[in-house]
Amino acid sequence: MNYIVFDLEWNQSPGGKKYSNSRLPFEIIEIGAVKMNEQREVVDVFQRLVKPQVYNWIHDSIHEVIHVDYKDLADGVSFPQAADEFLDWCGEEWVFCTWGNQDVMELQRNMKYYGMLSKIKGPVTYYDAQKIYGICYNEDPCRRSLEYAIDKMHLPKAQEFHRALTDAKYTGEIFKRLDMPAVLANPSIDVYQNPKTRKEEIYLSYPNYDEYVSREFAEKEKVIKDREVASTKCPVCHMPAKRKIRWFMNNSRAYESVSFCQKHGYIKGKVRIRHTDEDAFYAIKTLKRIDEEKAEEIREKRDSLRKKRQTKRQSEKFV
């Protein structure tokens, strides 16, 4: 099996969000990748410039970062050709590796736009080198930049950042130095192709937390009412934990709860509800051990939000 360490550069509407294509807010303009064998040795490289079809000019902020001119892209290949060549180059047995959690999703979104999504089976399991770097260097949950990690690991910077192949090479240099047990214990899963049925629902157990991805629901209000979505089990022993603080919506529009396991203490639950392109909804739930102090902070946050909402409702009565 090979590791495909890849990086994407993309463009967006030069006229701002008002003129953005909702089906393709970020259009891929470059694909760069290195192929590493099981010993994490580089065995091949891949690079393609992609000729834009949706946005006919490079957004100023994008141009400042990646230093690619629209004239350069005019000589590029179409995205369908680039994607086909990339997947052919990947071979038969591989797993993606990226710096961060957006590239895998954007690759799929661009492929969906061109009717190619069936060529990648989802949900996609991959290794997020940025996340694993944070775990290995005790900086989790901080998300460090690629250049920060290169400097921290005292690796040479021979080329400028923010070109797809260069960033893929830098990510590969970091990836091959990460502790392999930590890598294997912390795979990521991209749910752009989310579960559709209960049979397809995803249950993952990591060293420090559990994650669950639900099936689709037609209505948002039904998600948090689902028994499996609302359940809280201890991420250590996986036995049901007694609810201490019921699910409530926090300021970031996610739901939180606190439960208690007799053996392993307090458990924080968090549910984020996602909206699909087809107007369906699904949940991503995480369950993580916390101490009593953190549990009390969540209780205080819930009480504070309740008071604010009560005050708002009362003031609206007199308007």
Side-chain angles (χ1 to χ4, degrees):
M1 187 192 70
N2 292 315
Y3 299 102
I4 305 299
V5 185
F6 80 95
D7 184 82
L8 304 173
E9 301 296 342
W10 52 70
N11 189 24
Q12 62 193 76
S13 170
K17 190 174 181 179
K18 180 180 179 180
Y19 301 98
S20 180
N21 187 316
S22 61
R23 292 173 55 217
L24 196 70
F26 302 108
E27 182 178 20
I28 293 171
I29 56 176
E30 187 177 22
I31 303 173
V34 296
K35 182 184 293 184
M36 307 179 83
N37 60 22
E38 291 186 353
Q39 288 71 46
R40 293 184 282 180
E41 301 166 330
V42 176
V43 296
D44 202 1
V45 299
F46 178 93
Q47 190 272 340
R48 291 290 186 277
L49 285 176
V50 179
K51 184 177 181 178
Q53 301 296 316
V54 178
Y55 303 120
N56 58 9
W57 201 251
I58 298 180
H59 191 285
D60 288 343
S61 63
I62 302 294
H63 187 269
E64 290 175 5
V65 173
I66 66 174
H67 307 295
V68 174
D69 195 275
Y70 194 83
K71 294 178 181 178
D72 299 325
L73 300 177
D75 294 327
V77 301
S78 68
F79 177 79
Q81 179 181 336
D84 274 337
E85 291 176 353
F86 175 55
L87 293 177
D88 287 344
W89 173 83
C90 287
E92 294 185 0
E93 294 187 40
W94 49 266
V95 61
F96 283 147
C97 174
T98 62
W99 188 262
N101 55 13
Q102 193 170 0
D103 290 71
V104 175
M105 182 190 73
E106 293 303 338
L107 177 63
Q108 293 174 88
R109 181 151 58 182
N110 276 250
M111 292 181 71
K112 183 177 182 179
Y113 183 84
Y114 288 99
M116 305 173 66
L117 190 55
S118 61
K119 295 189 176 186
I120 293 185
K121 181 176 173 55
V124 179
T125 299
Y126 68 104
Y127 291 110
D128 180 350
Q130 185 186 47
K131 180 182 79 172
I132 300 170
Y133 165 83
I135 293 170
C136 290
Y137 286 82
N138 298 315
E139 298 195 19
D140 185 52
C142 292
R143 286 278 182 172
R144 299 298 189 181
S145 70
L146 183 58
E147 186 169 8
Y148 175 95
I150 288 291
D151 288 338
K152 193 78 172 181
M153 299 176 77
H154 306 291
L155 299 176
K157 294 189 290 186
Q159 296 175 288
E160 290 188 3
F161 290 82
H162 305 300
R163 287 299 301 268
L165 181 55
T166 300
D167 285 2
K169 288 179 177 179
Y170 282 135
T171 302
E173 288 299 314
I174 293 171
F175 180 66
K176 73 182 183 181
R177 291 169 171 82
L178 296 176
D179 180 59
M180 201 58 189
V183 171
L184 297 177
N186 291 281
S188 293
I189 186 163
D190 182 272
V191 290
Y192 181 76
Q193 298 183 64
N194 59 287
K196 309 298 181 184
T197 66
R198 186 175 291 280
K199 186 178 179 180
E200 296 174 342
E201 291 182 330
I202 299 167
Y203 298 83
L204 296 170
S205 187
Y206 292 99
N208 297 320
Y209 66 97
D210 279 357
E211 185 171 86
Y212 157 78
V213 185
S214 79
R215 69 190 187 282
E216 286 187 350
F217 295 82
E219 300 174 26
K220 184 177 181 180
E221 292 72 21
K222 291 184 177 181
V223 181
I224 197 66
K225 294 179 181 179
D226 180 76
R227 179 177 296 180
E228 187 64 23
V229 174
S231 68
T232 50
K233 296 180 181 178
C234 174
V236 181
C237 64
H238 301 107
M239 296 298 292
K242 185 177 181 180
R243 196 76 48 77
K244 293 294 184 180
I245 300 175
R246 288 187 172 188
W247 292 104
F248 69 96
M249 186 176 286
N250 62 23
N251 286 325
S252 62
R253 312 300 290 177
Y255 290 90
E256 290 186 18
S257 72
V258 174
S259 302
F260 188 78
C261 171
Q262 291 292 339
K263 289 185 177 180
H264 303 106
Y266 290 97
I267 312 296
K268 175 186 175 181
K270 186 173 184 179
V271 169
R272 293 161 290 162
I273 298 177
R274 297 285 178 82
H275 188 199
T276 73
D277 294 341
E278 290 74 30
D279 286 329
F281 301 89
Y282 66 97
I284 300 177
K285 176 175 68 178
T286 56
L287 296 167
K288 184 177 182 179
R289 289 179 65 192
I290 57 173
D291 57 26
E292 187 174 358
E293 182 180 355
K294 182 63 177 178
E296 186 57 33
E297 287 179 10
I298 295 173
R299 184 186 302 278
E300 291 173 359
K301 177 167 61 174
R302 181 206 61 182
D303 294 344
S304 176
L305 287 169
R306 277 183 177 177
K307 289 180 181 179
K308 287 180 180 179
R309 288 165 185 160
Q310 288 173 354
T311 301
K312 183 178 180 182
R313 285 195 295 267
Q314 290 173 355
S315 63
E316 289 174 346
K317 290 180 181 180
F318 299 98
V319 175

